[in-house]
Amino acid sequence: DVKVTQSSRYLVKRTGEKVFLECVQDMDHENMFWYRQDPGLGLRLIYFSYDVKMKEKGDIPEGYSVSREKKERFSLILESASTNQTSMYLCASSHTDSSNTGELFFGEGSRLTVL
Amino acid sequence: GQSLEQPSEVTAGEGAIVQINCTYQTSGFYGLSWYQQHDGGAPTFLSYNALDGLEETGRFSSFLSRSDSYGYLLLQELQMKDSASYFCASTGYSTLTFGKGTMLLVSP
């Protein structure tokens, strides 16, 4: 059964803390993505990566960074968490030819609360 | 920029048919995808249209008109388990841009 696994389902952090969200996929996908989901705003792309050590900014990269040292793992980093980063974070992966299928595989999400 | 518009909420009864529309304004458009997300769950892929026309998968069908920058998801024989949020997404070369989602409420 193919899988995208996010390390933490729920996190509570304090303002200013450094936060790591980890994501691992077992499908040998080239592409990995981080989205955040907020009520009424849908899913917004933060960063994506199409290869190891490669990263591209999405629509809302401010306040975030990413790391992809291995093909199967894509980490989202909040250098100094702020309350407006309280959200559901969704990791996804796809094959390079996703433009032919439109299919992303999502993890279950990490709900982050910043106090 | 990229934007997709879809209704925020749709309500229908069990056994009914419902259509969720999506209009888009995007550059580098490859196709239109649809995803379903139950409350508290992960979005799951439903369908993809790269070409104009209707794609059917069981009770769900999806339609695309590139000339009108418009698509829809059609759900037939609605069941209670279809209550969920539905997202259209425009597919570019390597990324997807999502609409804000339509919450479908199926009543008994």
Side-chain angles (χ1 to χ4, degrees), chain B residues 40-108:
Chain B
T44 56
F45 174 80
L46 290 177
S47 67
Y48 176 69
N49 294 69
L51 303 175
D52 285 1
L54 193 68
E55 295 279 344
E56 298 181 63
T57 310
R59 294 187 296 114
F60 294 2
S61 303
S62 57
F63 172 84
L64 176 66
S65 168
R66 284 174 168 267
S67 60
D68 296 321
S69 297
Y70 164 75
Y72 65 73
L73 180 69
L74 188 74
L75 299 89
Q76 302 182 74
E77 301 172 19
L78 281 175
Q79 302 174 9
M80 296 297 292
K81 68 178 182 179
D82 297 329
S83 290
S85 291
Y86 293 85
F87 295 87
C88 59
S90 66
T91 301
Y93 176 71
S94 56
T95 65
L96 270 70
T97 299
F98 286 82
K100 295 180 179 179
T102 299
M103 184 176 294
L104 171 62
L105 302 172
V106 181
S107 57

Side-chain angles (χ1 to χ4, degrees), chain A residues 44-109:
Chain A
R44 294 178 292 166
L45 182 63
I46 304 171
Y47 267 97
F48 67 100
S49 169
Y50 53 88
D51 200 354
V52 176
K53 296 192 185 295
M54 305 302 291
K55 61 183 179 184
E56 294 285 343
K57 292 180 180 179
D59 299 317
I60 53 164
E62 296 79 18
Y64 303 95
S65 62
V66 290
S67 173
R68 189 148 181 222
E69 296 297 318
K70 294 185 177 181
K71 188 176 185 180
E72 67 271 19
R73 187 180 297 271
F74 192 36
S75 303
L76 180 69
I77 303 153
L78 288 68
E79 293 289 341
S80 178
S82 63
T83 55
N84 62 11
Q85 293 178 309
T86 292
S87 186
M88 171 68 84
Y89 290 88
L90 291 164
C91 176
S93 70
S94 72
H95 272 304
T96 296
D97 63 349
S98 64
S99 57
N100 294 327
T101 67
E103 184 171 12
L104 299 185
F105 295 85
F106 281 89
E108 292 292 318

